[in-house]
């Protein structure tokens, strides 16, 4: 395998991933004067961001005049059960409005208020209606607006359908990556002055997920192998409402916008059960609470026929539903033969979002590896133990821009020629091509299925030590088998999904291992992390995040104390804000 | 339904040639054609090339021709078909392998369309913009486009006559329409429409509208108004005479 040919491509900033965060980061770095190269696994504009439905949270105060960054900050911190990086939550709340307005100036179109301003819809655990939206396809609007802005910038180049398999380092600094083009299997070495990860989450390690195939935790694995720290990997969000029936569509997202627009959850007896779990916020409680409530109803024998709950919006007029929730209407009609203007939907929790990921600096998205930055779902900190709906899209823009800016500064400060370690490249190539040279190894598809079963069974909504230990053991065993797997079938490199899946699998295993290790370490129940053996919140653990890092003996996991929150921000969290009363007709 | 098997014939091959290969696939309730194709990939043919992302009809990646009709595989329930189903790649774009085609031409076309361009006054306005919902509603329909390129695949100007050099295709007619009708856009793309975008090439057979998974009225709400805008500028007899007079005066 030595002397495999590869192309070498030079750039200032290499952005890996082209969802909302990657695209926003690329635009920022290009505006700063850098040459930017974006590589993505799919075609441009197909990233998982397009699946975001409900909206983008920003305290624009267009619907509730009382909304301010302080209320948004409080909601985010409370939702995250206070283990958020408070500085990130602060930055996010203050900068989200300008990022939304900026996107509008790049051509994005949002629904309007009667006064002609950007309309904002209510969403779970947001004190005020706060989500800028366009019907229920806000993610598509964001992606398309960024994409059309980006493709006209002369110093941004996009390499579509290109998968990064390893990061390259030189004396501890990130200096590029090894990648392959999916279409023909050709190898590429990217040399860059700064590298930015925007690869999204790892939802595909579970059987039932709202995530697209791309969400295989690539950035987490790339960063981990390059020596970067990971954080809060036990915090995996179950979105309370995924489709449950028929089996072919299980897991597909049902937007929280349905409840934002007035949808009501009921159990098999027709009871509005959220009154027993969160009488104040009811159906619009935070996602961790609603997901556990549905789970509890099912376990108590009050579930819907296919093991979920009913979600009903049919009390609203058909015209209203079709205008505000067009893709939900279409999705249920086509895939489940259910007309949501007439009958309730059947919903159950589905894996949706990873609050954990690569540990980054609040201001600049810098990881613990010099020259390596991260933004969006791959990064960790903003959302703490539970993400609020709508905070992800604003996260992408706020921290995408900041990380892009910082990567540009780093690249400009390190303008000299980039050195590449040839031996490191050779080793990475050998690992990458391995599955094509092992005809008798196991199928990566089968191993991937096994991993999904392991995560689904041993890291469910409610966990315990015994299950988590078993899950970790099985994951480590799968990792050994995966290292010997085969691409299966013919060994051509041109668009060979067996080979591609072998790469994904290697990455997914890192996210799974970090999940089990961090979950074992956090001996309490907090936000998305609920333990049967430690059912209560432990106030002492509010001060720490679980950190995972590569070490001599494999992955090490340990608690790290956060810098204490300044008094003035602490005071905002405890402040009382007036409740929002919906005006007649608005 | 649950125990039914279907015979799925999938095109397997590359630009050098290929054949339809038939696989027996077990089905379950609610299964879509994409599920069946992915079952073949993970159980029978690990190198079966197919593009897909979201499996929820939101990304527009899994376009193919199912029983001869261009559709998203993720939005095509198996139970709408018989016991034998054929799946072929899109015909209009060059084949890469199996069900994957080279759609890069579309991305090149997009770069040739002037992007969103607000007026100087709007750009300089420090206040948040105001727009009315009814003005926004006109472009919302076009902005639903998920770029599956099925309309491009079925458009006979591109498909049968191969005139990619003369017509941008339905996808980019509605892209232009979404910009031209944007309440805050100030650019004039009529010269582009008449020139290299080739709006005149469309003869309104509405095949594109028929295949659109987002139910965008591509022809009626997008292409016809764009034809009218272009005609107003170039073929309006009053304007023609006025133009002559103006030039005479110079």
């Amino acid at each position: 395998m030595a002397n495999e040919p590869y192309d070498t491509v030079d750039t200032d900033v290499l952005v890996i991933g082209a969802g909302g965060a990657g695209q926003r980061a690329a635009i920022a770095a290009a505006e700063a004067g850098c040459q930017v190269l974006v590589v993505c696994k799919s075609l441009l504009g197909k990233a998982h961001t397009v699946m975001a439905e409900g909206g983008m949270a920003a305290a624009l105060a267009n619907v509730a005049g009382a909304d301010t960054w302080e209320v948004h900050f409080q909601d985010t911190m409370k939702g995250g059960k206070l283990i958020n990086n408070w500085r990130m939550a602060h930055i996010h709340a203050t900068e989200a409005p300008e990022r939304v307005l900026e996107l509008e100036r790049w051509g994005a179109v949002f629904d309007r208020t009667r006064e002609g301003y950007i309309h904002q819809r209510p969403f779970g655990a947001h004190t005020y209606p706060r989500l800028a939206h366009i019907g229920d396809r806000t993610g598509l609007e964001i992606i398309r607006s960024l994409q059309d802005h980006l493709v006209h910038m002369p110093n941004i180049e996009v390499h579509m359908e290109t998968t990064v398999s390893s990061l390259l380092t030189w004396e501890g600094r990130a200096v590029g990556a090894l990648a392959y083009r999916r279409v023909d299997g050709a190898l590429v070495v990217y040399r860059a002055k700064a590298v930015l990860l925007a690869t999204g989450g790892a939802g595909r390690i579970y059987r039932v997920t709202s995530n697209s195939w791309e969400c295989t935790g690539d950035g987490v694995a790339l960063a981990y192998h390059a020596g970067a720290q990971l954080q809060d990997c036990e915090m995996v969000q179950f979105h309370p409402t995924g489709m449950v029936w028929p089996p072919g569509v299980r897991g597909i997202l049902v937007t929280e916008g349905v409840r934002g627009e007035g949808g009501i959850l009921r159990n098999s007896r027709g009871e509005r059960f959220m009154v027993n779990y969160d009488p104040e916020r009811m159906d619009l409680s935070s996602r961790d609470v609603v997901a556990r409530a549905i789970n509890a109803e099912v376990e108590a024998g009050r579930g819907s026929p296919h093991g979920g709950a009913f979600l009903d919006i049919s009390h609203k007029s058909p015209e209203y539903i079709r205008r505000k929730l067009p893709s939900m209407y279409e999705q249920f009609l086509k895939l489940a033969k259910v007309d949501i203007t007439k009958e309730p939907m059947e919903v159950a929790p589905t894996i949706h979002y990873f609050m954990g990921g690569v540990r980054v600096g609040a201001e600049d998205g810098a990881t613990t590896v010099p020259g390596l930055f991260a933004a969006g779902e791959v990064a960790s900190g903003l959302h703490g133990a539970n993400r609020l709906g709508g905070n992800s899209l604003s996260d992408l823009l706020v921290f995408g821009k900041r990380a892009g800016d910082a990567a540009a500064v780093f690249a400009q400060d390190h303008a000299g020629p980039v050195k590449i370690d040839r031996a490191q490249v050779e080793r990475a190539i050998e690992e990458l091509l391995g599955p094509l040279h092992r005809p008798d190894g196991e199928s990566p598809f089968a191993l991937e299925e096994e991993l999904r079963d392991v995560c689904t069974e041993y890291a469910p909504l409610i966990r315990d030590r015994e299950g988590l230990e078993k899950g970790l053991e099985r994951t480590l065993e799968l990792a050994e088998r995966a290292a010997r797997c085969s691409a299966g079938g013919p060994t051509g490199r041109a668009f060979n999904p067996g080979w591609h899946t072998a790469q994904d699998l290697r990455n997914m295993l890192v996210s799974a291992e970090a999940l089990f290790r961090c979950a074992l370490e956090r001996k309490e129940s907090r936000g998305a992390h609920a333990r049967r053996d430690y059912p209560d919140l432990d106030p002492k653990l509010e001060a720490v995040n679980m950190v995972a890092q590569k070490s001599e003996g494999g992955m090490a996991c340990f608690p790290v104390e956060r810098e204490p929150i300044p008094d003035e921000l602490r005071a905002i969290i405890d402040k009382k804000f007036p409740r929002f009363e919906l005006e007649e007709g608005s | 339904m649950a125990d039914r098997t279907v015979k799925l014939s999938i095109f397997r091959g590359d630009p050098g040639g290929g054949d339809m290969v038939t696989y027996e696939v077990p089905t379950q309730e609610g299964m879509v054609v994409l599920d069946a194709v992915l079952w073949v990939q993970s159980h029978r043919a690990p190198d079966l090339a197919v593009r897909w992302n979201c499996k929820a009809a939101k990304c527009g990646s899994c376009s193919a021709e199912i029983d001869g009709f261009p559709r998203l595989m993720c939005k095509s329930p198996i139970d709408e078909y018989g016991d034998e189903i054929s799946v072929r790649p899109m015909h209009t774009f060059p084949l890469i392998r199996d069900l994957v085609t080279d759609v890069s031409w579309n991305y090149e076309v997009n770069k040739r369309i002037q992007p969103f361009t607000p007026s100087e006054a709007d750009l300089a306005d420090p206040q948040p913009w105001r727009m009315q919902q009814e003005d926004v509603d006109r472009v919302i329909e076009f902005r639903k486009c998920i770029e599956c390129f099925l309309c491009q695949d079925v458009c006979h100007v591109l498909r049968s006559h191969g005139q990619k050099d003369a017509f941008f295709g339905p996808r980019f007619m509605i892209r232009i329409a979404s910009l031209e009708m944007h309440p805050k856009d100030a650019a004039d793309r009529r010269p582009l429409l008449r020139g290299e975008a080739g709006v005149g090439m469309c003869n309104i057979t509405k095949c594109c509208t028929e295949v659109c998974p987002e139910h965008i009225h591509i022809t009626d709400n997008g292409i016809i108004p764009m034809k009218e805008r272009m005609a107003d500028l170039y073929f309006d007899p009053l304007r023609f005479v006025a133009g002559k007079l103006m030039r005479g005066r110079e």
Side-chain angles (χ1 to χ4, degrees):
Chain A
M1 254 180 283
N3 299 318
E4 272 288 335
Y6 55 79
D7 292 339
T8 303
V9 179
D10 286 289
T11 188
D12 295 334
V13 177
L14 177 69
V15 176
I16 305 170
Q23 291 202 31
R24 187 62 190 82
I27 291 169
E31 279 177 342
C34 287
Q35 190 63 39
V36 181
L37 211 146
V38 180
V39 296
C40 53
K41 287 207 284 188
S42 289
L43 296 171
L44 186 61
K46 308 297 184 193
H48 186 57
T49 307
V50 299
M51 294 179 76
E53 295 166 351
M56 179 163 36
L60 292 160
N62 290 346
V63 172
D67 201 11
T68 61
W69 73 264
E70 295 183 320
V71 195
H72 193 180
F73 170 76
Q74 182 192 74
D75 288 343
T76 302
M77 291 298 297
K78 279 186 172 174
K81 301 293 179 287
L82 304 179
I83 63 161
N84 321 51
N85 179 322
W86 50 263
R87 180 64 186 133
M88 283 176 98
H90 183 198
I91 291 170
H92 171 253
T94 48
E95 293 181 7
E98 46 186 299
R99 291 287 82 76
V100 174
L101 293 171
E102 167 186 80
L103 202 66
E104 182 168 73
R105 290 185 175 229
W106 294 348
V109 172
F110 298 102
D111 279 339
R112 317 306 293 185
T113 63
R114 277 176 302 182
E115 296 76 28
Y117 294 114
I118 293 174
H119 193 41
Q120 297 183 273
R121 71 162 39 121
F123 233 60
H126 287 282
T127 301
Y128 300 123
R130 189 177 282 145
L131 269 66
H133 63 278
I134 175 99
D136 56 2
R137 45 161 207 84
T138 315
L140 175 66
E141 186 65 29
I142 289 173
I143 278 285
R144 205 63 86 225
S145 304
L146 289 170
Q147 181 185 341
D148 285 324
H149 192 76
L150 173 152
V151 298
H152 290 98
M153 296 184 79
N155 50 343
I156 299 183
E157 202 182 330
V158 182
H159 288 185
M160 301 196 289
E161 298 196 309
T162 301
T163 303
V164 169
S165 71
S166 303
L167 293 182
L168 302 174
T169 53
W170 180 265
E171 293 173 351
R173 170 191 154 197
V175 289
L178 171 71
Y180 61 97
R181 289 201 294 261
R182 299 172 81 84
V183 164
D184 57 9
L187 306 182
V188 190
V189 166
Y190 292 104
R191 288 192 297 208
K193 300 180 174 94
V195 180
L196 195 151
L197 299 169
T199 53
R204 301 297 297 184
I205 67 173
Y206 279 82
R207 208 187 303 129
V208 176
T209 174
S210 64
N211 286 193
S212 84
W213 77 265
E214 288 192 282
C215 303
T216 50
D218 297 3
V220 162
L222 293 171
Y224 171 75
H225 289 306
Q229 289 186 339
L230 312 178
Q231 174 185 282
D232 295 339
C233 297
E234 73 279 22
M235 297 301 177
V236 180
Q237 180 168 75
F238 283 81
H239 193 293
T241 61
M243 291 177 81
V244 257
W245 192 258
V249 302
R250 193 170 185 122
I252 295 179
L253 185 66
V254 178
T255 175
E256 193 166 315
V258 175
R259 282 172 288 137
E261 296 295 343
I264 289 166
L265 286 163
R266 289 200 172 87
N267 62 21
S268 62
R269 297 181 191 163
E271 293 158 345
R272 195 171 175 185
F273 59 83
M274 280 311 296
V275 75
N276 303 322
Y277 299 90
D278 188 345
E280 192 174 330
R281 298 183 299 184
M282 299 283 279
D283 304 277
L284 285 180
S285 182
S286 59
R287 289 177 172 174
D288 51 337
V289 174
V290 181
R292 277 196 296 272
I294 294 174
N295 198 54
E297 289 298 307
V298 173
E299 285 192 353
R302 297 188 293 269
S304 65
H306 303 105
F310 294 108
L311 175 59
D312 194 2
I313 183 91
S314 64
H315 50 280
K316 294 269 181 183
S317 78
E319 297 72 42
Y320 184 84
I321 295 169
R322 282 195 291 263
R323 186 162 64 82
K324 282 295 190 181
L325 303 162
S327 64
M328 285 305 104
Y329 173 74
E330 177 80 13
Q331 178 176 312
F332 273 89
L333 201 61
K334 188 74 195 173
L335 299 177
K337 316 246 180 313
V338 166
D339 180 349
I340 66 168
T341 66
K342 297 199 178 81
E343 25 180 353
M345 298 157 248
E346 213 181 327
V347 295
T350 180
I351 284 290
H352 188 55
Y353 190 87
F354 281 60
M355 278 72 73
V358 183
R359 186 171 161 85
V360 293
E363 313 279 339
D364 55 5
T367 70
T368 50
V369 171
L372 183 63
F373 299 80
E377 190 174 348
V378 68
S380 171
L382 170 62
H383 309 293
N386 173 60
R387 175 174 73 81
L388 300 193
N391 270 1
S392 176
L393 291 183
S394 38
D395 172 8
L396 304 182
L397 297 181
V398 169
F399 293 102
K401 179 188 186 308
R402 278 181 164 267
D405 285 341
V409 169
F410 188 94
Q412 284 153 352
D413 288 349
H414 296 77
V418 167
K419 292 198 185 74
I420 292 288
D421 177 352
R422 292 292 295 262
Q424 201 182 55
V425 173
E426 291 299 327
R427 278 197 304 276
I429 290 176
E430 198 163 323
E431 191 171 18
L432 168 60
L433 298 181
L436 292 168
H437 299 282
R438 290 189 291 263
D440 301 323
E442 286 186 84
S443 150
F445 294 105
L447 289 167
E448 200 182 44
E449 282 304 313
E450 249 185 87
L451 177 64
R452 285 186 186 128
D453 287 342
V454 166
C455 293
T456 304
E457 189 172 345
Y458 299 116
L461 198 52
I462 297 167
R463 306 148 174 187
D464 57 35
R465 186 181 62 89
E466 204 184 331
L468 292 169
E469 279 176 350
K470 182 82 186 157
L472 177 60
E473 187 190 315
R474 291 284 310 278
T475 301
L476 295 174
E477 176 237 335
L478 278 168
E480 276 178 30
R481 286 160 61 196
R484 298 190 302 267
C485 80
S486 161
T491 55
R493 282 202 227 158
F495 222 113
N496 185 341
W499 180 40
H500 300 169
T501 301
Q503 308 308 321
D504 295 339
L505 178 64
R506 202 159 55 105
N507 295 335
M508 291 159 80
L509 283 157
V510 175
S511 280
E513 184 181 348
L515 159 57
F516 285 116
R517 288 195 189 277
C518 291
L520 277 164
E521 198 64 33
R522 191 170 277 284
K523 297 182 180 72
E524 64 162 347
S525 291
R526 181 184 295 271
H529 176 65
R531 290 208 29 182
R532 192 170 284 114
D533 45 355
Y534 297 96
D536 300 318
L537 194 125
D538 179 351
K540 288 197 299 294
L541 293 177
E542 185 184 303
V544 300
N545 296 93
M546 297 306 159
V547 169
Q549 190 176 17
K550 203 171 197 172
S551 75
E552 291 282 313
M555 188 186 285
C557 182
F558 44 89
V560 171
E561 264 190 50
R562 257 185 327 283
E563 198 187 321
I565 186 166
D567 290 344
E568 63 274 21
L569 286 180
R570 175 75 242 182
I572 292 170
I573 296 173
D574 299 327
K575 221 162 146 180
K576 280 260 179 254
F577 294 104
R579 280 180 58 115
F580 177 70
E581 301 297 337
L582 198 68
E583 244 182 274
E584 196 59 36
S586 62
Chain B
M1 173 73 205
D3 300 309
R4 191 166 82 111
T5 59
V6 290
K7 286 194 168 68
L8 195 68
S9 298
I10 304 175
F11 175 84
R12 301 295 315 271
D14 56 31
D19 275 310
M20 298 301 283
V21 178
T22 302
Y23 304 91
E24 293 241 357
V25 181
T27 68
Q28 59 169 186
E29 200 172 345
M31 193 168 178
V32 291
V33 171
L34 178 61
D35 291 316
V37 169
L38 294 177
W39 187 91
V40 171
Q41 189 187 65
S42 58
H43 294 86
R44 297 286 179 269
D47 65 329
L48 168 60
V50 55
R51 264 195 199 107
W52 69 286
N53 274 45
C54 75
K55 209 180 97 62
K58 291 194 168 63
C59 74
S61 301
C62 62
S63 307
E65 300 187 3
I66 307 171
D67 283 357
F69 197 82
R71 295 187 69 158
L72 292 179
M73 289 189 276
C74 70
K75 218 184 170 188
S76 301
I78 290 279
D79 61 10
E80 290 179 10
Y81 296 88
D83 291 336
E84 293 178 14
I85 305 172
S86 78
V87 188
R88 292 170 189 273
M90 288 193 283
H91 174 84
T92 300
F93 304 108
L95 181 68
I96 291 175
R97 216 164 78 77
D98 301 341
L99 298 176
V100 176
T101 57
D102 178 1
V103 293
S104 57
W105 173 73
N106 296 287
Y107 290 87
E108 292 309 314
V109 168
N110 191 35
K111 287 183 192 165
R112 280 144 63 188
I113 299 171
Q114 183 182 350
F116 176 68
T117 311
S119 70
E120 290 296 326
D122 277 332
L123 264 186
D125 184 358
Q127 293 304 310
W129 285 350
R130 293 172 77 165
M131 293 178 235
Q132 291 308 311
Q133 184 70 37
E134 54 186 342
D135 296 326
V136 162
D137 281 342
R138 288 198 303 170
V139 298
I140 282 179
E141 180 184 10
F142 308 132
R143 298 189 67 90
K144 286 193 324 197
C145 173
I146 55 175
E147 295 200 325
C148 61
F149 305 128
L150 289 172
C151 59
Q152 305 287 77
D153 182 43
V154 81
C155 172
H156 57 98
V157 178
L158 307 176
R159 185 185 180 101
S160 314
H161 305 293
Q163 290 181 294
K164 292 196 183 83
D165 51 346
F167 184 42
F168 281 5
R171 170 10 181 179
F172 296 101
M173 291 301 113
I174 63 149
R175 167 80 190 132
I176 294 171
S178 80
L179 291 163
E180 287 287 290
M181 296 187 197
H182 191 298
K184 292 288 184 187
D185 183 83
D188 180 2
R189 296 174 188 78
R190 290 176 297 182
L192 174 77
L193 280 165
R194 189 193 186 202
E196 58 171 337
V199 70
M201 296 298 291
C202 166
N203 53 7
I204 320 186
T205 54
K206 300 195 184 184
C207 305
C208 50
T209 303
E210 204 175 316
V211 300
C212 178
E214 288 291 316
H215 310 299
I216 300 170
H217 296 91
I218 300 174
T219 325
D220 290 349
N221 295 351
I223 298 181
I224 291 173
M226 287 306 104
K227 278 176 177 282
E228 287 169 354
R229 271 184 195 220
M230 190 273 290
D232 281 350
L233 179 64
Y234 293 103
F235 304 117
D236 182 339
L238 283 175
R239 214 182 261 264
F240 179 77
V241 173
K244 287 268 182 206
L245 289 172
M246 297 292 280
R247 230 168 290 153
R249 228 176 271 167
E250 279 161 21

